[in-house]
Amino acid sequence: MKVLVTGGAGYIGSVTSEVLLNRGYEVAVFDNLSQGHRAAVPADAEWVQGDLASPQKIREAIDQHRPDAVMHFAARSLVGESMDAPFAYLRDNVMNGLNLLDACVSGGVERFILSSTANLFGAPASAVIDEQAPIAPGSPYGESKWALERALHWLSQTKGLRFASLRYFNAAGASEARGEHHTPETHLIPLVLQVAAGHREHITIFGDDYDTPDGTCIRDYIHVLDLADAHVLALQALEQGNRVYNLGNGEGFSVRQVIETARAVTGAAITERVGQRRAGDPARLVASSYRIRDELGWAPQFPALEQIIDSAWRWQQRHPEGYIDRALHK
Ligand code: UFG
């Protein structure tokens, strides 16, 4: 089976491409390299440099590669940025996704997997969020993913497209060969590790006056390899119907707990400062992943925060400049 992976040069898309190839799938990566890295694309994947803003380019890619399924990772994905630049999300994320869906429907692609987000749930009332939790996107980013989830619903009804929507909580960690490299970096774990490595002076905690035990935000960190595994399982399960799953470890850690764990893993002091809250940040986001565990037998292989941070630390130590100036690798 062949999978077209949009955003396959990005963090989660490149790790998922690696896992798909390891499990015997053929992979074609479609990416405009606006955020991703050519060196992150596995050498065994076919490569298309293209932009989803161009309906023609994506149609050509589908005609040429004839994928059996599309996994759609390519998107802007920052809650805070979406509060400052809403049209990059409400227009570009949605339009690019619709261009892709249009090309899939007209090109005969029957299976589609969407990278969705915990931000669909805004600032939820419940301690642990399952798929029945009310949808109330917390930002233009979350809204853009909800628009695509609704489009999938209707394309399934009208065109028979089979889909899975996977709502990630906080992806983190690295495989042996691939890790997280954003420019600029905004995510907590890589930033904390940059401080540990001496590349950054301190980590700023975005608010310590939240209604949580230590006052800092709580998130559910999930290893990127476990996320990738969920994509493969969801793809296999599409034959039995559409899938919507929340994906996290089911345990929350505060910003301070992440910093403390990074100190234990790295042995570095890691200076912290307390700053202002960041717009759009809910106090607590923790997933119930009971449904995917129950229906597909998914179980995270790397559930411990120590394991997640340790894998990111090892990747960062091996690649202090990230993907810059690196040759392609397997
Ligand atoms: N944080 C800090 N200081 C920093 C960076 C982050 O205190 O320098 C805090 C944030 O306020 C937040 C937590 O660390 O409470 C995690 O922040 P990240 O930026 O690492 O991740 P987010 O929770 O903002 O967002 C991530 C993905 C989104 C996805 C969301 C779902 O980036 O795409 O998880 O929960 F929607």
Side-chain angles (χ1 to χ4, degrees):
M1 182 182 276
K2 186 166 190 173
V3 184
L4 182 81
V5 179
T6 75
Y11 170 44
I12 306 172
S14 66
V15 173
T16 305
S17 295
E18 174 187 321
V19 168
L20 284 166
L21 288 162
N22 287 344
R23 301 207 186 158
Y25 291 85
E26 289 178 80
V27 172
V29 165
F30 184 99
D31 199 299
N32 67 1
L33 296 182
S34 65
Q35 301 174 81
H37 309 274
R38 181 67 180 90
V41 178
D44 293 340
E46 293 172 83
W47 166 246
V48 184
Q49 184 162 350
D51 198 315
L52 293 172
S54 163
Q56 190 190 338
K57 187 76 186 170
I58 183 67
R59 271 202 300 272
E60 281 169 12
I62 285 176
D63 284 349
Q64 187 190 341
H65 293 279
R66 314 289 332 153
D68 302 288
V70 167
M71 292 190 182
H72 178 39
F73 297 90
R76 291 185 169 274
S77 61
L78 298 175
V79 173
E81 180 187 65
S82 80
M83 303 296 276
D84 293 333
F87 288 108
Y89 289 78
L90 298 172
R91 181 184 52 215
D92 301 346
N93 267 8
V94 176
M95 283 298 296
N96 292 349
L98 292 177
N99 286 343
L100 177 62
L101 282 166
D102 193 348
C104 287
V105 168
S106 56
V109 179
E110 292 174 351
R111 303 171 187 85
F112 193 96
I113 300 200
L114 174 70
S115 300
S116 189
T117 175
N119 195 258
L120 291 190
F121 303 108
S126 54
V128 176
I129 306 161
D130 65 18
E131 291 80 0
Q132 265 79 50
I135 301 290
S139 68
Y141 168 54
E143 196 71 51
S144 72
K145 294 293 184 175
W146 180 233
L148 292 178
E149 287 206 12
R150 295 307 297 161
L152 285 170
H153 164 79
W154 286 112
L155 293 173
S156 172
Q157 299 281 312
T158 57
K159 301 288 180 184
L161 185 69
R162 276 174 270 177
F163 73 90
S165 181
L166 303 181
R167 295 150 170 186
Y168 311 158
F169 284 59
N170 286 62
S175 72
E176 286 299 315
R178 291 177 178 80
E180 194 166 4
H181 175 187
H182 299 107
T183 309
E185 188 53 76
T186 63
H187 293 96
L188 180 64
I189 289 177
L191 286 176
V192 166
L193 295 179
Q194 286 177 13
V195 181
H199 300 146
R200 194 176 278 269
E201 195 195 310
H202 66 271
I203 181 74
T204 302
I205 296 173
F206 293 150
D208 68 350
D209 57 351
Y210 285 93
D211 184 17
T212 61
D214 69 14
T216 67
C217 287
I218 292 174
R219 294 287 181 275
D220 181 337
Y221 296 90
I222 173 171
H223 198 293
V224 65
L225 282 171
D226 287 324
L227 266 187
D229 186 42
H231 285 75
V232 179
L233 289 174
L235 175 59
Q236 291 165 348
L238 283 185
E239 309 310 318
Q240 285 85 50
N242 296 332
R243 308 279 157 173
V244 175
Y245 294 125
N246 290 359
L247 273 174
N249 271 321
E251 197 177 350
F253 293 94
S254 72
V255 175
R256 282 219 162 90
Q257 286 175 310
V258 168
I259 298 170
E260 211 39 68
T261 306
R263 288 187 181 119
V265 166
T266 64
I270 309 182
T271 305
E272 62 181 57
R273 301 220 177 115
V274 177
Q276 299 294 311
R277 288 184 176 199
R278 186 174 63 179
D281 272 345
R284 180 186 161 92
L285 283 174
V286 180
S288 161
S289 296
Y290 177 77
R291 186 190 277 178
I292 188 169
R293 289 171 189 261
D294 183 47
E295 291 184 3
L296 304 189
W298 177 78
Q301 299 299 301
F302 310 101
L305 186 61
E306 288 78 7
Q307 292 173 298
I308 294 171
I309 292 181
D310 183 60
S311 71
W313 177 236
R314 283 187 288 114
W315 192 79
Q316 186 172 308
Q317 294 225 291
R318 282 199 303 274
H319 310 295
E321 304 291 329
Y323 289 109
I324 293 169
D325 293 333
R326 285 174 58 205
L328 294 181
H329 52 175
K330 294 256 179 214

